[in-house]
mmCIF file of all heavy atoms in Angstrom:
data_model
loop_
_atom_site.group_PDB
_atom_site.id
_atom_site.type_symbol
_atom_site.label_atom_id
_atom_site.label_comp_id
_atom_site.label_asym_id
_atom_site.label_seq_id
_atom_site.Cartn_x
_atom_site.Cartn_y
_atom_site.Cartn_z
ATOM 1 N N LEU A 133 168.042 -1.189 57.208
ATOM 2 C CA LEU A 133 166.705 -1.236 56.613
ATOM 3 C C LEU A 133 166.541 -2.481 55.747
ATOM 4 O O LEU A 133 165.479 -3.118 55.746
ATOM 5 C CB LEU A 133 166.457 0.024 55.782
ATOM 6 C CG LEU A 133 166.322 1.337 56.555
ATOM 7 C CD1 LEU A 133 166.212 2.515 55.593
ATOM 8 C CD2 LEU A 133 165.112 1.299 57.484
ATOM 9 N N VAL A 134 167.593 -2.840 55.013
ATOM 10 C CA VAL A 134 167.546 -4.050 54.181
ATOM 11 C C VAL A 134 167.352 -5.282 55.058
ATOM 12 O O VAL A 134 166.541 -6.178 54.751
ATOM 13 C CB VAL A 134 168.835 -4.190 53.343
ATOM 14 C CG1 VAL A 134 168.839 -5.514 52.575
ATOM 15 C CG2 VAL A 134 168.961 -3.027 52.368
ATOM 16 N N MET A 135 168.087 -5.357 56.167
ATOM 17 C CA MET A 135 167.982 -6.508 57.055
ATOM 18 C C MET A 135 166.609 -6.597 57.726
ATOM 19 O O MET A 135 166.041 -7.681 57.861
ATOM 20 C CB MET A 135 169.096 -6.453 58.114
ATOM 21 C CG MET A 135 170.496 -6.491 57.525
ATOM 22 S SD MET A 135 170.727 -7.897 56.402
ATOM 23 C CE MET A 135 172.135 -7.345 55.451
ATOM 24 N N GLN A 136 166.086 -5.454 58.125
ATOM 25 C CA GLN A 136 164.752 -5.452 58.723
ATOM 26 C C GLN A 136 163.699 -5.908 57.717
ATOM 27 O O GLN A 136 162.752 -6.621 58.067
ATOM 28 C CB GLN A 136 164.430 -4.046 59.249
ATOM 29 C CG GLN A 136 165.285 -3.632 60.438
ATOM 30 C CD GLN A 136 165.218 -2.139 60.720
ATOM 31 O OE1 GLN A 136 164.351 -1.438 60.180
ATOM 32 N NE2 GLN A 136 166.136 -1.649 61.541
ATOM 33 N N TYR A 137 163.879 -5.511 56.474
ATOM 34 C CA TYR A 137 162.963 -5.935 55.414
ATOM 35 C C TYR A 137 163.034 -7.450 55.228
ATOM 36 O O TYR A 137 162.014 -8.135 55.068
ATOM 37 C CB TYR A 137 163.349 -5.216 54.120
ATOM 38 C CG TYR A 137 162.434 -5.471 52.946
ATOM 39 C CD1 TYR A 137 161.216 -4.818 52.827
ATOM 40 C CD2 TYR A 137 162.810 -6.359 51.939
ATOM 41 C CE1 TYR A 137 160.387 -5.040 51.738
ATOM 42 C CE2 TYR A 137 161.988 -6.596 50.849
ATOM 43 C CZ TYR A 137 160.771 -5.931 50.751
ATOM 44 O OH TYR A 137 159.950 -6.156 49.666
ATOM 45 N N ALA A 138 164.256 -7.981 55.273
ATOM 46 C CA ALA A 138 164.432 -9.436 55.119
ATOM 47 C C ALA A 138 163.812 -10.197 56.289
ATOM 48 O O ALA A 138 163.239 -11.282 56.113
ATOM 49 C CB ALA A 138 165.920 -9.759 55.002
ATOM 50 N N ILE A 139 163.907 -9.635 57.485
ATOM 51 C CA ILE A 139 163.308 -10.283 58.664
ATOM 52 C C ILE A 139 161.789 -10.295 58.544
ATOM 53 O O ILE A 139 161.131 -11.314 58.814
ATOM 54 C CB ILE A 139 163.753 -9.561 59.949
ATOM 55 C CG1 ILE A 139 165.261 -9.772 60.183
ATOM 56 C CG2 ILE A 139 162.953 -10.067 61.151
ATOM 57 C CD1 ILE A 139 165.835 -8.905 61.278
ATOM 58 N N ARG A 140 161.219 -9.175 58.113
ATOM 59 C CA ARG A 140 159.756 -9.100 57.965
ATOM 60 C C ARG A 140 159.236 -10.117 56.956
ATOM 61 O O ARG A 140 158.119 -10.619 57.078
ATOM 62 C CB ARG A 140 159.331 -7.690 57.535
ATOM 63 C CG ARG A 140 159.460 -6.648 58.617
ATOM 64 C CD ARG A 140 158.617 -5.424 58.303
ATOM 65 N NE ARG A 140 158.932 -4.839 57.001
ATOM 66 C CZ ARG A 140 159.882 -3.932 56.806
ATOM 67 N NH1 ARG A 140 160.632 -3.523 57.832
ATOM 68 N NH2 ARG A 140 160.103 -3.429 55.610
ATOM 69 N N HIS A 141 160.051 -10.438 55.955
ATOM 70 C CA HIS A 141 159.629 -11.377 54.921
ATOM 71 C C HIS A 141 160.122 -12.801 55.183
ATOM 72 O O HIS A 141 160.017 -13.669 54.319
ATOM 73 C CB HIS A 141 160.109 -10.900 53.549
ATOM 74 C CG HIS A 141 159.360 -9.688 53.052
ATOM 75 N ND1 HIS A 141 159.621 -8.422 53.517
ATOM 76 C CD2 HIS A 141 158.336 -9.573 52.163
ATOM 77 C CE1 HIS A 141 158.798 -7.562 52.913
ATOM 78 N NE2 HIS A 141 158.014 -8.240 52.100
ATOM 79 N N GLY A 142 160.656 -13.038 56.373
ATOM 80 C CA GLY A 142 161.027 -14.386 56.768
ATOM 81 C C GLY A 142 162.269 -14.946 56.115
ATOM 82 O O GLY A 142 162.543 -16.143 56.220
ATOM 83 N N VAL A 143 163.035 -14.092 55.463
ATOM 84 C CA VAL A 143 164.260 -14.570 54.812
ATOM 85 C C VAL A 143 165.399 -14.677 55.823
ATOM 86 O O VAL A 143 166.239 -15.574 55.741
ATOM 87 C CB VAL A 143 164.644 -13.638 53.650
ATOM 88 C CG1 VAL A 143 165.972 -14.053 53.023
ATOM 89 C CG2 VAL A 143 163.544 -13.642 52.587
ATOM 90 N N LEU A 144 165.460 -13.750 56.765
ATOM 91 C CA LEU A 144 166.431 -13.810 57.860
ATOM 92 C C LEU A 144 165.679 -13.865 59.187
ATOM 93 O O LEU A 144 164.591 -13.302 59.322
ATOM 94 C CB LEU A 144 167.344 -12.578 57.837
ATOM 95 C CG LEU A 144 168.319 -12.434 56.662
ATOM 96 C CD1 LEU A 144 169.099 -11.128 56.780
ATOM 97 C CD2 LEU A 144 169.272 -13.615 56.572
ATOM 98 N N GLN A 145 166.261 -14.542 60.152
ATOM 99 C CA GLN A 145 165.639 -14.651 61.466
ATOM 100 C C GLN A 145 165.996 -13.469 62.364
ATOM 101 O O GLN A 145 165.175 -12.996 63.143
ATOM 102 C CB GLN A 145 166.084 -15.959 62.142
ATOM 103 C CG GLN A 145 165.650 -17.209 61.396
ATOM 104 C CD GLN A 145 164.144 -17.282 61.255
ATOM 105 O OE1 GLN A 145 163.402 -17.131 62.225
ATOM 106 N NE2 GLN A 145 163.687 -17.522 60.027
ATOM 107 N N THR A 146 167.223 -12.999 62.242
ATOM 108 C CA THR A 146 167.691 -11.886 63.067
ATOM 109 C C THR A 146 168.544 -10.951 62.225
ATOM 110 O O THR A 146 169.029 -11.319 61.145
ATOM 111 C CB THR A 146 168.538 -12.379 64.257
ATOM 112 O OG1 THR A 146 169.673 -13.119 63.748
ATOM 113 C CG2 THR A 146 167.719 -13.274 65.179
ATOM 114 N N ASN A 147 168.729 -9.756 62.736
ATOM 115 C CA ASN A 147 169.583 -8.776 62.060
ATOM 116 C C ASN A 147 171.048 -9.122 62.342
ATOM 117 O O ASN A 147 171.476 -9.119 63.498
ATOM 118 C CB ASN A 147 169.258 -7.375 62.575
ATOM 119 C CG ASN A 147 169.961 -6.282 61.780
ATOM 120 O OD1 ASN A 147 170.996 -6.505 61.168
ATOM 121 N ND2 ASN A 147 169.391 -5.091 61.795
ATOM 122 N N PRO A 148 171.831 -9.428 61.309
ATOM 123 C CA PRO A 148 173.225 -9.845 61.536
ATOM 124 C C PRO A 148 174.188 -8.706 61.825
ATOM 125 O O PRO A 148 175.346 -8.955 62.186
ATOM 126 C CB PRO A 148 173.585 -10.521 60.202
ATOM 127 C CG PRO A 148 172.774 -9.781 59.196
ATOM 128 C CD PRO A 148 171.464 -9.459 59.878
ATOM 129 N N LEU A 149 173.745 -7.478 61.663
ATOM 130 C CA LEU A 149 174.651 -6.353 61.883
ATOM 131 C C LEU A 149 174.878 -6.139 63.369
ATOM 132 O O LEU A 149 173.955 -6.303 64.177
ATOM 133 C CB LEU A 149 174.083 -5.080 61.258
ATOM 134 C CG LEU A 149 173.787 -5.157 59.754
ATOM 135 C CD1 LEU A 149 173.250 -3.821 59.261
ATOM 136 C CD2 LEU A 149 175.037 -5.543 58.972
ATOM 137 N N PRO A 150 176.074 -5.794 63.778
ATOM 138 C CA PRO A 150 176.371 -5.596 65.205
ATOM 139 C C PRO A 150 175.545 -4.465 65.786
ATOM 140 O O PRO A 150 175.185 -3.512 65.104
ATOM 141 C CB PRO A 150 177.867 -5.270 65.219
ATOM 142 C CG PRO A 150 178.184 -4.818 63.831
ATOM 143 C CD PRO A 150 177.253 -5.549 62.924
ATOM 144 N N LYS A 151 175.249 -4.595 67.070
ATOM 145 C CA LYS A 151 174.401 -3.612 67.746
ATOM 146 C C LYS A 151 175.097 -3.100 68.995
ATOM 147 O O LYS A 151 176.065 -3.685 69.455
ATOM 148 C CB LYS A 151 173.062 -4.245 68.158
ATOM 149 C CG LYS A 151 172.303 -4.913 67.008
ATOM 150 C CD LYS A 151 171.115 -5.686 67.527
ATOM 151 C CE LYS A 151 170.415 -6.421 66.396
ATOM 152 N NZ LYS A 151 171.281 -7.481 65.812
#
Side-chain angles (χ1 to χ4, degrees):
L133 291 175
V134 175
M135 299 307 160
Q136 292 165 13
Y137 184 79
I139 292 170
R140 288 199 304 272
H141 288 78
V143 176
L144 293 178
Q145 297 301 310
T146 59
N147 188 335
L149 303 181
K151 306 171 184 66

